[in-house]
Amino acid sequence: MAAGLETTIETENLAIYVSGGLAKSHQILGPFHILGPHRHRRSARNDISVKSSKQLLQSVWGAYIAIASGAHEGVSVTRDPSGQIPCYYACIGSTWVFASDANLLRNVPGTSFTIDWDELTNLLYFPGHFSGRTAVTGICELLPGETAIIEANAVSICSAWSPWTFCGPNPCRSELDAVELLRAAFREVHEALADWFKHPIVTVSGGLDSSIVATELHRAAAKAHCVNLFTTSPSGDERCFARIVTKGCDYPLNEVPFAAPSIESYIGSQPHLPRPTQRFMANSSMELFRSESLSGCHDVILTGYGGDSVFCFLNSSLPLLDLLANNPSVRDLRLCLNALEGVTGASYFQILRHAVRNEWRRRRLGRPFSWPKRSLFLRTDPLMLSQPREVHPWLVAPTDACRGKSAHIAAILRAYNHLEQMPRASNIAMLSPLLLPPIVEACLAIPTWLWIYGGIDRSIARSACEVLPRDIAKRSTKGTPCEIHAKFFEHHAPQLIDLLLRGELAAHGILDVDAIKEYAGRPFPRKDSDYLTLLELVDTEIWLQCWSTESFPVKNS
């Protein structure tokens, strides 16, 4: 047993060891040991006997892992759809081991894992996509909403939850229905958070999503402390908007300056995930939030992460195609075109032309959604697939699926790829309330064309949060810290390029070395954003140095 873990149960075929926080949340429901904060759905019947993983997910929501073991049956492990407790597994000796931290698997004495180069290359060509296969051979991930059944020294995976269950036929036929549905979900989630956590810290960026979390938490009568990270450049300074939110909630606000890490700490990062997610620069902000939470003795960090994805921020003609597939009236078509004109800034003609191209592409490919492929700075390989080798099960759409809803689900999936932002050993829980099931399921039930009602993106979310300050609700733009990334690359370009050219990606023939050298020779400042792709490749190289048996040190410049 790993140090610092408590024994929850030990039987002949099952042993559960947990840290203090999960030990406190442990409850038994039917055959299931539930680990993590959870509560019964308001819509669930109290007399339902929970016997299967599907029944469990229909009755109980939260951020949990559920484990069941019968006297004559195998062991099952179910990960709730929010995915906010990680779950990795591997066969170690003759035992299947499941853990919320991949390093627990990696550090078992006598184990040896290698890089899965095929999957790693796949991840680079299709950024943001992931499946149950990680980039480490022998370590798999139990995806959100899946159940693993362990019998006779083998594991079988089945789906216990699918986003497509909530997509149709659409219960929301009007903007009013959609607002009421999402408003109820906001209340259910934030009232639960107020009950689960007594000393939360809320990351308030000044944008719509984190503002919804803070104001809905305040409406639920929860006490909280807020933190805003700001940069010295105006593009990354959102303090004025964060102050509007916290003043309305009467929450204390701590404003913390954010700067790029040193090159030594950046290259010396210790990634904790069994696949690269190209987020090391962003993850440096997580350490600031963690420091703030520990100094204030807080029990959770709540963020607005995932809001753009969940609130169907589609800047395209896809909502029009979805509407056309639902027998609209002339009035509905006119309203949708007007809304798209307001959101995209395109003319009627441009919107219709884009819609025709989208529909032609769908018919040519024979599927409603194709994950975008990127080959910038990568060696061209004619044998590469047009889609990921193992497609995430949420992307397997029904035959009558709408293109916009497929893109909506893909956007939510992309957010899940970056959900695990801190190691589980960080002594502080981190949750993204907007990705909890009641909110996600309500958003999935809302047709894509209603999200742009009145020509405003994410309009349903803006209206559903009654307590949102007007200055926040009407915001259509938001600052970014991209200038920090640009200056970091410009200042450390020689070291970063040297790391790539002498690293494992280049040694395995994955990089287009000539293209990287050509780009590195261009004068600063750069007017494009291709340097962000190079930083993502550097992140992958850093990940390889941590997870490979060999490392390639960086020359001092």
Side-chain angles (χ1 to χ4, degrees):
M1 183 178 72
L5 299 182
E6 303 175 20
T7 302
T8 296
I9 184 174
E10 279 187 324
T11 65
E12 183 178 349
N13 65 341
L14 173 65
I16 303 176
Y17 309 112
V18 299
S19 60
L22 287 182
K24 294 176 182 177
S25 68
H26 174 227
Q27 287 188 359
I28 297 176
L29 179 61
F32 293 98
H33 294 266
I34 303 179
L35 304 170
H38 59 277
R39 69 167 39 190
H40 283 272
R41 294 177 182 268
R42 290 177 176 175
S43 59
R45 289 169 47 195
N46 293 329
D47 60 344
I48 292 180
S49 177
V50 175
K51 296 180 180 179
S52 69
S53 57
K54 286 189 176 182
Q55 289 177 336
L56 177 68
L57 297 183
Q58 290 169 357
S59 303
V60 179
W61 68 268
Y64 62 84
I65 299 291
I67 305 167
S69 174
H72 303 290
E73 300 175 355
V75 174
S76 73
V77 180
T78 300
R79 188 179 180 194
D80 93 277
S82 78
Q84 304 207 45
I85 294 184
C87 189
Y88 302 100
Y89 63 95
C91 186
I92 300 177
S94 60
T95 303
W96 285 96
V97 181
F98 287 73
S100 61
D101 188 339
N103 279 318
L104 290 176
L105 304 175
R106 183 186 182 193
N107 295 331
V108 173
T111 58
S112 178
F113 299 108
T114 58
I115 301 299
D116 184 338
W117 286 99
D118 286 341
E119 179 61 17
L120 180 65
T121 305
N122 201 48
L123 292 170
L124 292 175
Y125 272 95
F126 299 99
H129 178 272
F130 65 102
S131 66
R133 180 177 174 179
T134 75
V136 179
T137 302
I139 296 181
C140 299
E141 179 179 6
L142 184 65
L143 299 176
E146 286 188 340
T147 294
I149 301 173
I150 305 99
E151 293 181 298
N153 297 322
V155 169
S156 60
I157 306 297
C158 63
S159 174
W161 184 96
S162 170
W164 292 104
T165 303
F166 308 93
C167 296
N170 289 311
C172 296
R173 304 305 300 179
S174 69
E175 183 261 351
L176 180 60
D177 289 342
V179 168
E180 289 300 322
L181 181 66
L182 185 54
R183 182 173 293 161
F186 280 163
R187 290 180 178 178
E188 183 175 4
V189 164
H190 290 87
E191 286 172 5
L193 292 172
D195 183 46
W196 293 338
F197 306 107
K198 302 307 177 185
H199 303 286
I201 188 169
V202 183
T203 64
V204 180
S205 67
L208 174 67
D209 307 327
S210 63
S211 299
I212 287 176
V213 172
T215 53
E216 286 289 340
L217 203 62
H218 177 257
R219 190 202 55 77
K223 294 181 179 180
H225 187 102
C226 296
V227 174
N228 171 262
L229 300 187
F230 67 93
T231 68
T232 55
S233 62
S235 63
D237 189 349
E238 297 276 289
R239 283 176 291 179
C240 61
F241 293 103
R243 291 167 187 167
I244 292 173
V245 174
T246 54
K247 182 179 179 181
C249 297
D250 195 26
Y251 284 161
L253 173 66
N254 194 9
E255 298 169 347
V256 179
F258 174 64
S262 67
I263 186 66
E264 292 79 15
S265 63
Y266 177 68
I267 292 176
S269 301
Q270 294 294 311
H272 58 283
L273 300 177
R275 64 168 67 90
T277 56
Q278 296 95 27
R279 295 276 293 183
F280 294 168
M281 183 75 76
N283 283 353
S284 61
S285 64
M286 292 302 106
E287 186 57 36
L288 293 176
F289 290 135
R290 178 176 176 271
S291 299
E292 287 293 317
S293 66
L294 294 178
S295 64
C297 298
H298 298 282
D299 52 359
V300 71
I301 300 173
L302 302 177
T303 79
Y305 177 72
D308 284 356
S309 300
V310 175
F311 299 150
C312 197
F313 196 175
L314 299 178
N315 191 19
S316 73
S317 64
L318 293 179
L320 175 61
L321 290 174
D322 286 8
L323 179 62
L324 287 170
N326 281 268
N327 302 316
S329 65
V330 174
R331 177 180 177 274
D332 288 338
L333 282 173
R334 187 175 67 252
L335 289 174
C336 184
L337 283 168
N338 288 339
L340 282 172
E341 191 176 40
V343 170
T344 65
S347 66
Y348 273 24
F349 175 76
Q350 290 171 320
I351 293 168
L352 291 171
R353 183 176 62 180
H354 189 266
V356 170
R357 288 179 176 175
N358 265 319
E359 181 60 18
W360 175 84
R361 187 166 182 265
R362 182 194 70 81
R363 296 192 178 193
R364 180 174 61 87
L365 296 175
R367 52 180 176 266
F369 179 83
S370 297
W371 199 274
K373 181 180 179 180
R374 185 184 69 187
S375 57
L376 182 64
F377 301 125
L378 300 177
R379 189 184 66 175
T380 302
D381 185 350
L383 299 180
M384 280 297 298
L385 302 175
S386 61
Q387 284 293 279
R389 288 186 177 90
E390 294 186 16
V391 176
H392 192 287
W394 291 1
L395 297 179
V396 181
T399 55
D400 59 347
C402 292
R403 284 215 63 202
K405 188 55 67 174
S406 297
H408 185 192
I409 291 173
I412 294 173
L413 173 61
R414 190 175 284 108
Y416 276 63
N417 189 44
H418 300 299
L419 190 58
E420 191 182 347
Q421 301 185 50
M422 292 194 304
R424 294 298 296 179
S426 298
N427 300 320
I428 181 73
M430 186 170 189
L431 286 179
S432 299
L434 302 181
L435 288 172
L436 288 170
I439 292 177
V440 171
E441 292 166 6
C443 291
L444 288 169
I446 298 172
T448 56
W449 61 87
L450 289 181
W451 285 104
I452 55 173
Y453 187 85
I456 305 171
D457 64 80
R458 298 167 290 173
S459 63
I460 302 300
R462 299 174 193 269
S463 299
C465 185
E466 300 170 286
V467 288
L468 196 65
R470 185 174 180 274
D471 287 339
I472 302 298
K474 69 180 183 180
R475 290 198 73 187
S476 59
T477 60
K478 184 175 176 292
T480 70
C482 280
E483 189 174 336
I484 286 182
H485 295 72
K487 290 183 177 179
F488 179 84
F489 180 81
E490 180 177 346
H491 186 67
H492 300 294
Q495 289 170 284
L496 297 173
I497 297 300
D498 180 69
L499 174 67
L500 279 179
L501 297 183
R502 296 192 307 109
E504 294 194 48
L505 291 173
H508 281 77
I510 296 174
L511 299 182
D512 185 340
V513 172
D514 292 337
I516 293 175
K517 289 180 178 179
E518 188 277 329
Y519 186 81
R522 298 179 190 176
F524 290 101
R526 305 298 168 84
K527 296 183 180 181
D528 55 55
S529 59
D530 291 351
Y531 64 90
L532 293 174
T533 301
L534 278 177
L535 283 176
E536 291 179 358
L537 292 174
V538 171
D539 287 348
T540 303
E541 191 64 48
I542 294 171
W543 179 88
L544 280 166
Q545 290 193 14
C546 180
W547 283 82
S548 298
T549 55
E550 299 180 24
S551 62
F552 296 81
V554 180
K555 294 178 180 178
N556 293 323
S557 61

